[in-house]
Structure formats: structure tokens, C-alpha cells
Amino acid sequence: MTGYRTSLVDENPDVRQPLGAAYGRLWAAAVTSRFGDAVRTPALALLAASLTRDPRLIAAVVVAGQLPPLLFGLLAGVYADRWDRRRTMAIVDAARSVLVGALAVLVLTGSVGIGALAVVAFLLAGLGALFDAAAFAVLPSVVPAERLPAANGRLAAGTAVAGGFVGAPVAGLLFALGAALPFAVDAASFAVAALLALTLPAHGVTDPAAASRRSVWREAGDGLRWIRREPTLLRITALSAASNLAISGLIAVMVLYALEVLRVPEAGYGAFMATAVLGGLAGGLGAGRLAARVGLRTGLRWVLTAQTLALVVLAFSRHPVPGAIALAVFSAGSTTWNALWSGYGQRHVPAGLLGRVGSAQRVAGLVAAPVGAVLAGFTANAYGLPPVAYAAAAVFAVLTVVAWRVLGTGAASVPAGTPVPAGVLPTPDRAGGGRVPGP
């Protein structure tokens, strides 16, 4: 699985325009940071298991890393719109470098405990929410609007390779060499990413004077209100949140489904899940071409159709090979959906609202995810594992029918009279395809 649908191209973008050197630096920063994450995450789990065998304490560390995006996601969007986004990204990565570096020192000196791991996980996730909001909003300032689907797709492809093919396998080896080593590598990756972020163009679009006169919570609600008033964004956000019920349910039981239903050998489980990474890579690289060939909204509808068919195959398969192929196709669809959806928001939302709108959409998707995981757990316990896959396929089938009805191919628009919130600088070319201007 390539993860939940968490983010936001106009029709028929020009795939010939270059992405540019600034995008290359942003891509390098994102991929470097993802590599560090992929090294740290399993090392954190291994470290927790070496400190305690109490599943409640280990679960507490996991939950500590999951709560901040839900608790602070909307506020992160506010500050991503208030502050210079390039500087925000650099400061956040520098802070994460210091934080993980301090953890490495604690591990090296034998002073670390479960409480410290939970605090570090919580702080890293909170900082990550701010970084994600700023990075989502800064992309249109470094990439031609026509190339946003391809830019988002290549980011997804690069991070998939860095995380799935490089970082994750390296994590166990580094931990075996020294428990502090994965955290030292992660700290170095954040430092490199911070330096790369500083090379991006300055990007801040909110009027500080106007913003200071408004409530932070009022500003946080601007993103939600914009989504509610923009029909296409509202529909895609609802489709993505609903699909996360199925995606999170599958993720929750995938290891058992693979071993018990698809009969994947335990020794081959890693290779089986690697097909999801390959699918994500293919989806990321192909997202721009799909948007160019059929247009954004038609592309989204075809993605849902392909994912539904993949889930049907996965639900009725009882052998590793068709199951792995279905998983790869489904993962490719997830990456493609995220790339197209992100490009739509980056193109059609005012520059000064991008942080808040993107964060609101991520929160909507994250709220749905634990619900799906809980439902899948109860369903599997009561009726077995196959009904979870049947239910996921049914959910996607319904969503596909809905998408073909509600995702039209006409130009996107915000209803007449929709106000731009105070403090947001006007963006005359918002729907016209130009670069979002800097300050």
C-alpha cells in the first residue's frame, strides 16, 4: 500500500514544459527526508521493543506519532499560509534534525526510555504536519502550473523508492550495527533537507498585518469553508475520505490477508509488499501523462475504476501472484490519485489559502482512516479476513459510480460571490495556469 489519500491540473496540461532546477532541489529535499523517515520508523519500533515487551507501552509510542496531524493539522495550515514557506520548511527540518540527533545521543548513552520515544514521536509528527502544509503550498511557486500533476507524481515516485526500496531495508542493518545509528542517519537527512529548502525561492503570500488581526481558529476554518464552497474540491475530498475507510481497513489486516488468504510464504512477504512500492513508482511516473491524455477529472474517474477492478481481483484471489499484481495496480492508482488531486488544488485554490485547504483535506482523510481500521478489525474477527476485501471492493465500486456521476469535465469554479478571506493577497491568474507569484 502506498498510504492514505491525503492531499489535493487543469485539463490537458503541457507535458513538454521542464520542471526546473528549483523543483529538482525540492524533490531532492523531499526524497532525502523520506529516506531518513524510512530508516527511523522501523528503528523506533525495534528500539521500543528492546525497551519493553508491554504492548500497551509500544502502542502508546505509535499513537503518539499519529495524533499530532489530527490535533494540529488545521493550525499547521494557518502558519504555512502566514509564514514564508521556504523558511518554514528549512526551520522545521532543522528542528527535526536536532530532535532526532538528541535521540541518537540518548540511545548511544543508554539514557533513553519509552517516555522519551513517545515524546519524540509526538514532536516529530507535529513538526511534520507543518512541513507537509508548507511543502504542498510551495510547489506551485517552483513548477509551471501545467506540470503540477507530473511534479506531484515524481515526488511520490521518488519518495516511494527512497522509502520502500532503500530506506526500509537499510534500517534493520543499521540498527543491527548500532541502535543509535539509524537515528544519526535520520538527523543527517533532515539537515541536508533543511539546507536544500533554503535554496528554494522565498514564498509567502499572506498579508501579515491582516492576518494578525484575525483569530487563528477563524483562519483555520477558511480552508474548510473554501472546500465547502468549491464543488469539485468538496466532491474529491469526500471521495478521498470515503476511500480511506477501505484503504485503512486493508492496511490493518494486510499481513494476515497475505499470509492466510493469499498463502504468501512468510519468507516472501517482503517481496510481496515490494510490489506495492513498484506500483506506487509506476503510478507516480505515469500521473502526468494520464492527466495530459484524458484530463484531470476523467483521469480520477478512471483511477477509481482501475482500483475497483484491482480490489475485486484481490478479494477473490487465493494465490500470491494475482494478489501481488492486484496490489501493485491498486497502489499505482493511489499514487496517481494523490498526484492529480494535489495538482488540482494547487492550481485552483488561491495561493494564500493553499496551506489551509491542503491541511483541511489531509485532516479529513486522516479522520476516516482509524475508523476503517477499527471496522476491519471487528469484521475480520467476526467473519474472517475475506469479507474485509469484499467490503473494500464494494466501497470502491460505489465510489466509482458516484465519481462518474459527480466529477464532470467542465472547468472548475468557485460559486459566484465566494469571498477570499481577509489577509490573502489576490491571485489574478489563479485559474489561468501561470506561476503563483512570490511576495
Side-chain angles (χ1 to χ4, degrees):
M1 298 280 167
T2 58
Y4 309 126
R5 289 167 173 172
T6 57
S7 59
L8 290 176
V9 240
D10 215 283
E11 306 298 333
N12 303 319
D14 184 357
V15 298
R16 295 169 297 180
Q17 289 198 45
L19 294 175
Y23 172 79
R25 295 191 295 273
L26 178 62
W27 184 91
V31 170
T32 301
S33 181
R34 179 67 185 98
F35 169 76
D37 289 341
V39 168
R40 182 193 71 249
T41 300
L44 197 64
L46 290 170
L47 180 59
S50 71
L51 295 173
T52 180
R53 293 294 178 176
D54 188 332
R56 295 168 299 178
L57 295 178
I58 294 176
V61 176
V62 175
V63 171
Q66 294 174 338
L67 283 177
L70 286 171
L71 296 176
F72 310 124
L74 295 178
L75 292 179
V78 171
Y79 290 108
D81 286 339
R82 281 191 177 191
W83 299 337
D84 181 294
R85 290 159 179 165
R86 173 205 60 175
R87 190 175 298 129
T88 298
M89 292 167 62
I91 291 174
V92 166
D93 267 347
R96 292 196 285 187
S97 177
V98 171
L99 185 62
V100 180
L103 177 61
V105 172
L106 289 177
V107 174
L108 189 62
T109 59
S111 305
V112 70
I114 283 292
L117 295 188
V119 170
V120 169
F122 186 87
L123 292 176
L124 285 174
L127 290 168
L130 179 56
F131 181 91
D132 290 343
F136 173 80
V138 83
L139 185 59
S141 71
V142 299
V143 174
E146 293 80 4
R147 299 305 314 279
L148 283 169
N152 282 292
R154 292 184 189 182
L155 275 172
T159 54
V161 171
F165 284 145
V166 183
V170 168
L173 175 61
L174 292 177
F175 191 84
L177 294 174
L181 196 53
F183 305 106
V185 170
D186 188 33
S189 75
F190 278 132
V192 172
L195 293 174
L196 288 168
L198 284 176
T199 68
L200 299 175
H203 191 251
V205 293
T206 297
D207 179 357
S212 65
R213 295 192 295 267
R214 304 186 72 224
S215 161
V216 170
W217 289 109
R218 174 75 180 174
E219 283 193 67
D222 289 340
L224 294 170
R225 284 186 286 274
W226 189 271
I227 293 172
R228 179 170 58 84
R229 295 170 182 175
E230 209 287 337
T232 301
L233 280 183
L234 179 60
R235 292 163 184 166
I236 298 177
T237 301
L239 288 168
S240 296
S243 70
N244 277 346
L245 291 171
I247 293 173
S248 61
L250 283 173
I251 290 174
V253 302
M254 180 51 65
V255 60
L256 293 177
Y257 193 87
L259 297 176
E260 297 181 12
V261 178
L262 298 177
R263 302 187 185 94
V264 175
E266 288 191 11
Y269 180 71
F272 174 79
M273 292 306 297
T275 62
V277 181
L278 283 172
L281 174 61
L285 294 177
R289 293 188 178 277
L290 177 65
R293 181 176 293 274
V294 302
L296 167 70
R297 274 158 282 193
T298 299
L300 289 173
R301 294 185 291 184
W302 279 113
V303 166
L304 274 176
T305 302
Q307 288 190 292
T308 300
L309 295 175
L311 284 179
V312 170
V313 172
L314 184 67
F316 288 96
S317 293
R318 297 297 181 266
H319 189 275
V321 173
I325 294 172
L327 183 63
V329 172
F330 185 83
S331 297
S334 290
T335 305
T336 305
W337 177 281
N338 284 338
L340 300 183
W341 184 15
S342 297
Y344 182 89
Q346 290 159 342
R347 180 94 184 250
H348 291 284
V349 174
L353 271 174
L354 273 172
R356 281 165 283 176
V357 170
S359 293
Q361 292 188 297
R362 278 188 291 274
V363 170
L366 290 171
V367 167
V371 177
V374 170
L375 290 175
F378 279 105
T379 300
N381 183 63
Y383 305 107
L385 292 165
V388 175
Y390 299 149
V395 168
F396 266 77
V398 171
L399 294 179
T400 299
V401 172
V402 172
W404 280 93
R405 290 178 61 87
V406 304
L407 292 183
T409 57
S413 64
V414 176
T418 299
V420 176
V424 177
L425 296 180
T427 317
D429 62 342
R430 172 172 57 84
R435 290 176 182 259
V436 178

